Amino acid sequence: MKIYDYIEYFVEPNETIKVKHSELLKDKDHPNKSIVIVFFTNEETNAKSKAVLPSFKWLNKGSLTKKDIIFCEKVLHYNSSLK
């Protein structure tokens, strides 16, 4: 799976969240649908998480804070065109 850098958000003065995404992947249960895995990393705490588009399902929230998760969910919905 190829992973691409997407964007970096400055959410606090010393805190950034980096977003990456995978190439389009085929879901074995739904071969006609493509999915994208979105990766979030809080650069300050090194917390990582993964989510899937277009389902907006979290694969792993890692150790992101609730505040980070709320922010990342907004990013997922605003960038749903990645699918």
Side-chain angles (χ1 to χ4, degrees), residues 19-81:
V19 182
K20 297 181 180 189
H21 66 87
S22 74
E23 62 189 325
L24 287 174
L25 304 169
K26 295 294 181 186
D27 184 340
K28 65 181 178 182
D29 298 324
H30 304 93
N32 295 327
K33 293 185 179 180
S34 296
I35 62 170
V36 173
I37 300 175
V38 182
F39 303 87
F40 296 99
T41 303
N42 181 317
E43 290 293 297
E44 180 72 16
T45 63
N46 203 33
K48 299 179 187 323
S49 66
K50 294 181 193 175
V52 175
L53 287 175
S55 67
F56 302 102
K57 177 182 175 187
W58 286 96
L59 296 177
N60 178 352
K61 290 184 182 177
S63 55
L64 289 178
T65 65
K66 287 182 183 182
K67 181 179 169 185
D68 285 344
I69 290 169
I70 290 168
F71 176 81
C72 292
E73 286 177 347
K74 288 180 184 177
V75 170
L76 285 173
H77 287 279
Y78 291 149
N79 293 280
S80 61
S81 62

